Amino acid sequence: MRFVHDTLPQRVRFASGEAAGQLAEEVRERGYSRLMVIATESQKALAERILGELPVAVWHHEVAMHVPAGLATRGREVAAAHHVDVLVAVGGGSTTGLAKAIALTTGLPIIAVPTTYAGSEATSVWGLTEAGRKTTGMDERVLPQTVVYDASLMLTLPVAMSVASGLNALAHSIDAMWAPRANPISAALAGEGIRALNAGLPKVAADPTGLTGREHALYGAYLSAVAFASAGSGLHHKICHVLGGMLDLPHAQTHAVVLPHVLAFNGPAAPDAEQRIAAAFEAPSANRGLATLRSTLDAPTALRDYGMTEDVIAPVVEAVLAAVPAGNPAPVTAENLTALLRAAWEGDLPR
């Protein structure tokens, strides 16, 4: 056995119903006095409730999917103009992503308060989109210093969005099984992440206001993100980054649609990983486990349902081929990648 595993330095505060108190304690303990709060307009009221009487220097609501470079520049300007000493991101992956883009050049610390299962808060991965191209990288400056997890903040997240976001989290675990830096520790975390998400997401769909399912899903999303942070970005994420950057497709739904196709593509060429995934699902095969979960959740099935047109498959294939990670379990060619993307576009699920 020989491997390298990176453990990222981060504090996690997990307590349902206690986001405001946990955040206040963290701010006081760290000694921050000029907060820049990043939240969308739709989550402004939630953010205000969580922040309470904390010393907010500026509220910033200009957030968009895939972090357009122009928004990152404006966010950095706002942070500088208000002399902030910490970024507090309240929201989903796009909100955390903007905080990361600001931290990347300013070095400002981040406290993340997630409201979805995106997982970005637990990784040192950043992404920026410019001229239809999404660029990603890794940098310890963008890793949130602290994450405040409160499953009660997810109780109003609609079921459809909860499902897509949860499957996005699941993609972190599955991709971590064969990503460039995959190792036994990241695989163990990923397996537990899959198990927790498989237990939690059906409960969320059946009882959206129940806390148990939300807690399991949030715990699983965190473990999945930690596994992904160490293992790196595999084929699934390379495909989805191209689709998001080129076509501005919705992030979580894109991951939910593409995942079964990449699992069916890579699984046969990675039997050890396939068996780990199947065991985590408690299913006879990885494909069967994922298919059963997806059918329970009424998961998204086709990229064309989100605005992708058939004529862009060829340029997407070309862009993905240039980004395929070394060591992907199955050889990737223009032909088999085209078939994979066409099936994902049509909604023709693997059998």
Side-chain angles (χ1 to χ4, degrees):
M1 188 178 293
R2 186 173 187 273
F3 61 89
V4 174
H5 175 81
D6 290 320
T7 299
L8 301 179
Q10 184 180 69
R11 174 180 291 174
V12 172
R13 291 174 173 265
F14 197 113
S16 296
E18 297 182 26
Q22 293 288 331
L23 178 60
E25 186 175 336
E26 188 69 16
V27 168
R28 284 194 296 268
E29 185 175 317
R30 301 280 188 182
Y32 298 131
S33 61
R34 296 190 61 80
L35 282 58
M36 176 175 176
V37 182
I38 303 171
T40 62
E41 285 284 359
S42 64
Q43 295 200 306
K44 182 179 179 180
L46 172 65
E48 288 177 339
R49 176 167 58 84
I50 294 170
L51 268 293
E53 301 300 317
L54 291 175
V56 177
V58 59
W59 296 85
H60 188 73
H61 306 299
E62 196 176 6
V63 176
M65 287 191 307
H66 310 299
V67 194
L71 292 194
T73 298
R74 285 196 285 279
R76 292 162 185 161
E77 291 169 348
V78 169
H82 290 84
H83 307 289
V84 305
D85 58 7
V86 66
L87 308 170
V88 178
V90 180
S94 298
T95 303
T96 305
L98 178 59
K100 288 181 168 186
I102 295 171
L104 182 63
T105 59
T106 64
L108 285 166
I110 303 170
I111 299 176
V113 186
T115 60
T116 71
Y117 307 110
S120 176
E121 69 280 351
T123 80
S124 58
V125 178
W126 57 267
L128 287 168
T129 301
E130 190 168 17
R133 183 171 182 268
K134 187 169 184 177
T135 302
T136 62
M138 298 183 69
D139 194 303
E140 288 191 6
R141 288 175 297 180
V142 310
L143 177 72
Q145 186 177 71
T146 304
V147 185
V148 175
Y149 283 121
D150 179 346
S152 72
L153 301 182
M154 280 70 171
L155 293 177
T156 56
L157 188 67
V159 169
M161 190 61 221
S162 297
V163 166
S165 183
L167 290 173
N168 176 25
L170 191 66
H172 287 137
S173 275
I174 290 177
D175 226 16
M177 291 290 189
W178 42 57
R181 299 186 303 279
N183 62 73
I185 297 176
S186 59
L189 291 167
E192 176 63 4
I194 293 169
R195 187 205 63 76
L197 286 161
N198 190 49
L201 290 176
K203 290 185 175 70
V204 170
D207 181 16
T209 60
L211 201 56
T212 301
R214 298 287 185 176
E215 287 185 333
H216 275 89
L218 191 56
Y219 163 68
Y222 168 70
L223 290 177
S224 299
V226 172
F228 175 74
S230 175
S233 183
L235 178 63
H236 172 89
H237 281 79
K238 297 301 184 184
I239 292 172
C240 292
H241 287 162
V242 169
L243 290 169
M246 286 182 64
L247 309 177
D248 199 33
L249 297 186
H251 183 83
Q253 290 84 349
T254 299
H255 281 268
V257 170
V258 171
L259 181 58
H261 300 278
V262 176
L263 177 58
F265 181 80
N266 269 345
D272 289 346
E274 195 279 340
Q275 290 169 18
R276 277 182 175 269
I277 297 167
F281 277 126
E282 297 183 343
S285 72
N287 286 338
R288 181 75 64 82
L290 179 58
T292 300
L293 176 63
R294 285 174 52 85
S295 65
T296 301
L297 300 177
D298 191 22
T301 58
L303 292 175
R304 62 181 174 183
D305 292 341
Y306 299 98
M308 181 178 172
T309 55
E310 187 176 10
D311 61 298
V312 301
I313 292 176
V316 168
V317 166
E318 183 179 354
V320 172
L321 283 173
V324 172
N328 187 69
V332 181
T333 66
E335 291 73 22
N336 59 29
L337 184 55
T338 297
L340 186 158
L341 282 164
R342 185 172 298 282
W345 176 77
E346 292 177 344
D348 183 13
L349 291 169
R351 291 174 175 81

